[in-house]
C-alpha cells in the first residue's frame, strides 16, 4: 500500500467509525441531557472532519513537483495537521465555556445504563482505531495519520473520564457538578491533543536537527564506499514530507583534483539517495595535514 493510499484508507475507516459512534453518543446525550456526553459526541464527529482533511491532503501532497513547487507538495500534509489542531481548539473552547455555564447554573445530570454501555463501547472502538492509525503513521512515516491517531486517542481518553464519572455517580448522591467537571476535563484533553499536533507540525516546518542515530548510520553507510574519515559536519535535514533534502560538508585530501572530489561527492550522494531516499547536496572542503 502506497503512502497516499494508506492515508486515504485511514481516513475512510475513521470517517465510518466516527459517524456511527457520534450518532450513538449524541442520542445518549439527548436522552440524559449530559453536556459531557454531547461534548464527547462532537469530539468524535470532529474526528470525521479531520479525516476529510486527511483525504484531501493525501491527494494534494501526491502531486508531482512543478516549476512553482520544485520540492513537491508534501507539506500539504502539515497544513492539514494545522487545520486539525484548529478544529480541535475551537471544539475544546466551546465545551469548556458550556461546562462553566452549567456550573454557574448548578445543572445536574442523571446517567443511565444506556450512557454506560455506549461509553464503554466507544472507549474500546476508538482505542482500536487509534492503534491502527498509529501503526500506519509509523509504517509510512506520515504525520497526518499520526495526528488523526492522536485525535482518536484523546476521544478514547475523554470517554474514559466520562465512564469514571458515570460510575462515581452510581455510588454517590448530590454530585450535581459532576457532568460539568467532566466536560471541562474533556475540553482540556482536546486542547492537549491540539497542542501535540501543532508542536509536531511547527517542529517539522521550522526544520529538524538530525538525530545522532541517523548521523551514525549515515557515517557507517558512507564508510562502506569510502573508508577514510571524511569528518562529516554541517549536516542539515530539510523535510518536505514526501521529499527530503540533506546537505552536509565533507573533508577530502587537499591534493585531490576538482574532478576527483566531485566524483567522491557524487558517489556518496547516490548512496544516500539509494539507502535513505534523500536528495543530498555535498560541499567539499580541503583536509589540512594537521587535521589528518
Amino acid at each position: 500500500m502506497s503512502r497516499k493510499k494508506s492515508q486515504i484508507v485511514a481516513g475512510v475507516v475513521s470517517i465510518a467509525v466516527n459517524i456511527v459512534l457520534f450518532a450513538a453518543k449524541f442520542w445518549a446525550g439527548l436522552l440524559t441531557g449530559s453536556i459531557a456526553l454531547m461534548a464527547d459526541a462532537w469530539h468524535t464527529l470532529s474526528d470525521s472532519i479531520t479525516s476529510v482533511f486527511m483525504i484531501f491532503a493525501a491527494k494534494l501532497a501526491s502531486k508531482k513537483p512543478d516549476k512553482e513547487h520544485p520540492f513537491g507538495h508534501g507539506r500539504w500534509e502539515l497544513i492539514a495537521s494545522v487545520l486539525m489542531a484548529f478544529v480541535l481548539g475551537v471544539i475544546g473552547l466551546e465545551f469548556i465555556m458550556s461546562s462553566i455555564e452549567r456550573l454557574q447554573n448548578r445543572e445536574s445530570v442523571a446517567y443511565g445504563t444506556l450512557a454506560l454501555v455506549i461509553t464503554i463501547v466507544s472507549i474500546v472502538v476508538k482505542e482500536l482505531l487509534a492503534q491502527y492509525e498509529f501503526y500506519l503513521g509509523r509504517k509510512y512515516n506520515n504525520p497526518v495519520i499520526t495526528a488523526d491517531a492522536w485525535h482518536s486517542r484523546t476521544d478514547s481518553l475523554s470517554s474514559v473520564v466520562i465512564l469514571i464519572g458515570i460510575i462515581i455517580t452510581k455510588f454517590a448522591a448530590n454530585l450535581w457538578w459532576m457532568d460539568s467537571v467532566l466536560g471541562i476535563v474533556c475540553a482540556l484533553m482536546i486542547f492537549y491533543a491540539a497542542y501535540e499536533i501543532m508542536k509536531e507540525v511547527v517542529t517539522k516546518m521550522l526544520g529538524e536537527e538530525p538525530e545522532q542515530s541517523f548521523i551514525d548510520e549515515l557515517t557507517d553507510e558512507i564508510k562502506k564506499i569510502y573508508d577514510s574519515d571524511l569528518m562529516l559536519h554541517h549536516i542539515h535535514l530539510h523535510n518536505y514530507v514526501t521529499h527530503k533534502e540533506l546537505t552536509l560538508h565533507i573533508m577530502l585530501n587537499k591534493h585531490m583534483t576538482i574532478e576527483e572530489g566531485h566524483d567522491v561527492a557524487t558517489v556518496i550522494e547516490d548512496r544516500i539517495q539509494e539507502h535513505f531516499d534523500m536528495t543530498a547536496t555535498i560541499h567539499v572542503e580541503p583536509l589540512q595535514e594537521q587535521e589528518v
Side-chain angles (χ1 to χ4, degrees):
M1 186 161 54
S2 66
R3 179 189 179 93
K4 174 185 174 182
K5 186 175 181 181
S6 70
Q7 193 164 318
I8 293 174
V9 168
V12 170
V13 171
S14 178
I15 289 171
V17 169
N18 287 310
I19 287 178
V20 173
L21 287 177
F22 165 76
K25 289 181 181 181
F26 191 77
W27 179 43
L30 285 176
L31 291 179
T32 62
S34 167
I35 194 171
L37 279 174
M38 296 289 280
D40 203 30
W42 283 103
H43 186 190
T44 298
L45 185 63
S46 73
D47 279 0
S48 296
I49 297 172
T50 55
S51 295
V52 171
F53 291 157
M54 184 165 67
I55 292 173
F56 276 112
K59 292 183 177 296
L60 291 170
S62 64
K63 292 172 62 178
K64 301 294 183 183
D66 52 40
K67 184 177 180 180
E68 290 77 19
H69 309 92
F71 300 110
H73 299 77
R75 283 187 173 173
W76 271 111
E77 294 184 1
L78 300 182
I79 295 171
S81 295
V82 171
L83 292 174
M84 290 181 188
F86 177 76
V87 170
L88 283 173
V90 171
I91 292 171
L93 180 62
E94 176 66 25
F95 285 116
I96 203 167
M97 291 174 64
S98 297
S99 297
I100 291 173
E101 184 179 350
R102 279 208 168 188
L103 275 175
Q104 293 172 337
N105 296 332
R106 298 177 66 88
E107 296 181 37
S108 61
V109 170
Y111 299 105
T113 304
L114 176 65
L116 181 65
V117 172
I118 288 177
T119 301
I120 293 173
V121 170
S122 175
I123 292 169
V124 174
V125 172
K126 288 311 294 282
E127 182 58 28
L128 289 174
L129 178 60
Q131 290 297 332
Y132 174 64
E133 289 185 308
F134 277 129
Y135 164 73
L136 290 180
R138 288 191 301 269
K139 183 175 181 179
Y140 296 97
N141 191 27
N142 193 316
V144 180
I145 299 180
T146 301
D148 204 49
W150 273 111
H151 200 167
S152 297
R153 170 63 61 76
T154 58
D155 195 13
S156 176
L157 291 175
S158 65
S159 295
V160 169
V161 173
I162 292 173
L163 177 62
I164 293 172
I166 292 174
I167 293 173
I168 291 175
T169 56
K170 294 289 185 183
F171 299 97
N174 301 320
L175 299 180
W176 60 267
W177 46 265
M178 177 61 73
D179 190 66
S180 299
V181 170
L182 291 176
I184 292 173
V185 172
C186 290
L188 293 176
M189 287 183 170
I190 294 172
F191 282 138
Y192 179 74
Y195 165 76
E196 284 293 321
I197 293 170
M198 283 298 296
K199 183 174 72 171
E200 181 178 359
V201 170
V202 169
T203 297
K204 289 183 180 297
M205 294 187 78
L206 291 180
E208 302 168 272
E209 181 71 20
E211 295 182 358
Q212 187 59 46
S213 59
F214 169 76
I215 295 175
D216 293 341
E217 186 179 357
L218 175 66
T219 303
D220 292 341
E221 194 63 28
I222 290 175
K223 284 184 177 180
K224 292 178 182 178
I225 55 176
Y226 198 89
D227 55 7
S228 298
D229 185 2
L230 300 182
M231 299 185 182
L232 307 184
H233 57 290
H234 280 75
I235 303 172
H236 295 151
L237 179 61
H238 311 273
N239 192 342
Y240 297 93
V241 184
T242 55
H243 173 78
K244 293 182 174 65
E245 295 270 340
L246 182 70
T247 59
L248 67 150
H249 292 197
I250 62 173
M251 304 190 78
L252 296 175
N253 189 315
K254 68 177 184 178
H255 299 296
M256 278 188 173
T257 65
I258 293 177
E259 183 176 4
E260 289 172 335
H262 173 266
D263 289 343
V264 171
T266 299
V267 170
I268 294 173
E269 288 170 349
D270 290 343
R271 178 57 67 92
I272 291 173
Q273 180 68 62
E274 176 186 345
H275 186 78
F276 296 99
D277 193 26
M278 297 178 182
T279 300
T281 301
I282 297 177
H283 173 74
V284 178
E285 297 178 357
L287 180 64
Q288 306 300 326
E289 278 77 0
Q290 62 268 25
E291 294 173 327
V292 177

